[in-house]
Amino acid sequence: MTQIVLLNNVDHADLCVVQGYGPQFGDAINQALVFPTEFDALQREYVILFRQDDQNGLRAVVLLGLDRDENLYLDGDAWRARHVPAIQRRGPFSIGLSTDRAAGGQNDARINVDLDHPRVTMDGGEPVFRRHGGATDYLEQVNLTLATLYDGLEVAGPMYTAWAEAGLIEPVAIDITVGEGRRYDLDNVLSISRDRLAALDGPVLERLHSAGRLAPAFQVASSLANIDRLVEMKNRKEGWA
């Protein structure tokens, strides 16, 4: 059960959020949903892949582990990477949309908080509001994280559709061998084809570039090189390295 309410500095003046990472916060996962607005940072450390959702659309994920509920980037309460996916950084917060009639019916984005989230506390943790009611530096960072998610949701669908129409997205076979022959086969995943990306002709290349969709395609394609890092992390964790 969740108790999601609109965040405000009156009812939640003493609200604090526990920091760090761990299974108790939902971080023991082997994949995390990600968005194009963070591909530039993600491609330096993670493998970015695509899966089809229930509506036959695409969603991007990063590979965090090989076994179920395995996050190789977790080390105690720390996440050993320079960039943590925004969906995991947001903690108990989410974006709520309301219609602002005074603004001609435009959607007004506001911050919601899940008061039943395991990170929420009134004693200890990082305060959300200052004593006079202003936002803390932590809440400002939350705002930036939520903006990454909100903007990412806006651009993801059209971007993935444009890539598919350009013939860039293809199934990819990922066979990983670790230790003394333990094998993992990743099924039903897709990526950006390096060959098709390199073979783009002028009009398609210009169209993708002008729409800001070319650089993220290269970022996804280059992220596949991080499979070697994942293998190294798995071998080290299991004592095989």
Side-chain angles (χ1 to χ4, degrees):
M1 182 176 179
T2 58
Q3 185 182 356
I4 299 176
V5 298
L6 182 65
L7 181 70
N8 67 83
N9 60 4
V10 176
D11 297 327
H12 311 123
D14 299 322
L15 188 72
C16 295
V17 177
V18 177
Q19 302 301 293
Y21 297 92
Q24 69 273 30
F25 302 130
D27 297 317
I29 50 177
N30 64 7
Q31 294 179 23
L33 185 67
V34 295
F35 300 92
T37 41
E38 51 184 336
F39 282 178
D40 185 34
L42 292 168
Q43 56 94 20
R44 297 181 175 91
E45 305 191 63
Y46 304 94
V47 178
I48 304 172
L49 298 170
F50 296 103
R51 290 190 177 276
Q52 286 191 318
D53 60 26
D54 295 337
Q55 288 75 42
N56 290 321
L58 294 178
R59 55 188 174 91
V61 299
V62 286
L63 193 60
L64 303 176
L66 300 176
D67 288 309
R68 183 173 181 176
D69 301 329
E70 177 184 62
N71 185 343
L72 293 170
Y73 293 84
L74 278 184
D75 182 8
D77 64 353
W79 190 299
R80 299 301 183 188
R82 289 165 292 180
H83 180 87
V84 178
I87 201 79
Q88 301 304 122
R89 291 203 317 272
R90 67 173 177 164
F93 302 102
S94 60
I95 294 175
L97 295 178
S98 62
T99 301
D100 187 351
R101 297 183 184 278
Q106 294 181 347
N107 285 333
D108 180 24
R110 301 181 182 183
I111 298 180
N112 288 340
V113 59
D114 178 5
L115 297 178
D116 292 327
H117 195 280
R119 289 187 182 276
V120 171
T121 177
M122 299 297 176
D123 182 22
E126 195 72 27
V128 175
F129 293 107
R130 302 182 188 275
R131 289 186 178 180
H132 59 75
T136 60
D137 291 342
Y138 168 66
L139 184 54
E140 294 295 345
Q141 289 300 313
V142 168
N143 273 316
L144 293 175
T145 298
L146 293 178
T148 295
L149 293 172
Y150 182 77
D151 294 342
L153 281 167
E154 291 287 307
V155 304
M159 182 175 292
Y160 303 160
T161 297
W163 288 347
E165 290 174 348
L168 295 179
I169 296 178
E170 66 176 6
V172 59
I174 298 181
D175 303 325
I176 298 175
T177 302
V178 297
E180 297 180 356
R182 183 184 295 183
R183 180 172 173 174
Y184 295 88
D185 298 326
L186 274 67
D187 300 322
N188 302 316
V189 293
L190 305 99
S191 185
I192 295 287
S193 168
R194 284 179 175 271
D195 292 339
R196 296 178 185 177
L197 193 57
L200 286 176
D201 60 17
V204 176
L205 196 66
E206 174 58 29
R207 185 164 62 249
L208 291 174
H209 175 70
S210 62
R213 295 168 179 163
L214 186 60
F218 278 102
Q219 290 158 4
V220 172
S222 66
S223 76
L224 289 176
N226 290 317
I227 289 176
D228 289 342
R229 182 185 182 192
L230 204 67
V231 170
E232 179 185 344
M233 294 167 70
K234 179 64 172 178
N235 284 333
R236 188 164 58 246
K237 175 194 172 186
E238 303 292 351
W240 297 326

